Amino acid sequence: MTMHIESSPRRGWLVGAGRTMAMLALGASSFAWAAEPIEEGADYQVIQSGDGISRDGVVRVEEFFAYGCPHCHHLEGPLEAWLEKNEDEVELVRYPLPFSENSVAPTTAFYAAQKVLEEEGNADQLAKVHAPVFHALHEERRVFANAGEVRQFYAEQGVEVPAEAFGRVHDESAESLTRKAYEVFQTTQSRGVPTLVVDGRFVVGGKGPERTVEIVDALVARAQAED
């Protein structure tokens, strides 16, 4: 499943960058890694100008998603299960995008918190709040009115981001960091989320959650073989 988006004029950029255009329901396959062969054009696209960025057998996988996107939420379970099995072989880099009204505060909070935690040497802590944010939005129907509420939610999950540093970074950098992530997303030539990019070359999107992970798994193996 995919949430399709379209760029809009500058007006209300954080929300307008991704208006929902359509929802396509795609069949999901049974849960098994690499159950079917993968084919370029049908299962993934190649970024012709992309260079392999994997090193020493560790493959970089970039995930572009929106916290408010139900398809992105459905992908997280299978993706996390796969990641746990391959944590020594995969580097997952997350790029939340503000492609719906309820994604804006969690997105800008993510980038502000990420920068603060990186400065403290605790960037890995942010992974702890990823699934809880999805759960709060989609299962509890929680609404985050602003980034400060998201920071407080992080604290409830045991991830402390100092309020003063968070507020300063959010005011100074959150929107520009979000925009940079969107610019990176545009290089994938994809028009929907969730989208995953393997090794800076292979783009996967528009499939059911389990099939998406199957394809990513096969592409990671390919990148490792070519490294």
Side-chain angles (χ1 to χ4, degrees):
M1 297 180 181
T2 304
M3 173 182 283
H4 287 262
I5 57 91
E6 176 177 294
S7 294
S8 68
R10 185 176 178 82
R11 180 181 60 83
W13 180 83
L14 284 174
V15 177
R19 294 294 185 187
T20 302
M21 300 303 293
M23 297 291 186
L24 301 181
L26 303 176
S29 59
S30 59
F31 189 83
W33 308 137
E36 301 176 19
I38 64 172
E39 180 181 352
E40 180 181 344
D43 297 304
Y44 67 95
Q45 308 296 325
V46 176
I47 300 176
Q48 297 302 328
S49 60
D51 296 323
I53 55 178
S54 301
R55 298 290 182 271
D56 301 323
V58 178
V59 179
R60 182 171 179 171
V61 176
E62 297 163 299
E63 180 192 12
F64 297 90
F65 66 95
Y67 276 116
C69 166
H71 311 310
C72 301
H73 173 48
H74 294 154
L75 174 62
E76 283 310 302
L79 184 62
E80 284 294 334
W82 172 80
L83 187 62
E84 286 182 12
K85 294 184 178 184
N86 296 276
E87 58 184 354
D88 294 331
E89 301 178 354
V90 174
E91 176 194 9
L92 180 64
V93 180
R94 292 187 167 102
Y95 290 100
L97 298 168
F99 287 170
S100 61
E101 186 73 40
N102 60 344
S103 295
V104 174
T107 297
T108 60
F110 175 95
Y111 289 114
Q114 183 179 63
K115 188 168 183 178
V116 172
L117 292 173
E118 283 177 350
E119 292 172 353
E120 296 182 343
N122 295 318
D124 59 335
Q125 293 294 303
L126 202 54
K128 296 180 180 180
V129 299
H130 184 63
V133 170
F134 267 124
H135 182 82
L137 288 171
H138 295 276
E139 306 301 328
E140 299 176 358
R141 303 299 181 186
R142 185 164 177 171
V143 176
F144 294 105
N146 54 59
E149 289 187 5
V150 181
R151 188 199 68 83
Q152 181 58 43
F153 180 75
Y154 289 173
E156 294 169 10
Q157 311 307 311
V159 178
E160 294 287 346
V161 185
E164 183 176 351
F166 177 87
R168 171 180 52 80
V169 171
H170 189 273
D171 290 345
E172 294 176 354
S173 307
E175 183 169 343
S176 63
L177 291 170
T178 302
R179 189 183 297 274
K180 287 180 181 178
Y182 182 65
E183 290 171 354
V184 175
F185 171 73
Q186 288 182 306
T187 68
T188 71
Q189 301 174 0
S190 176
R191 294 180 61 81
V193 290
T195 289
L196 292 101
V197 179
V198 178
D199 196 33
R201 298 181 288 163
F202 309 117
V203 181
V204 183
K207 307 297 178 183
E210 287 79 17
R211 181 57 179 164
T212 294
V213 176
E214 292 175 1
I215 296 166
V216 169
D217 187 61
L219 291 171
V220 165
R222 174 175 168 178
Q224 288 174 321
E226 295 174 351
D227 185 12

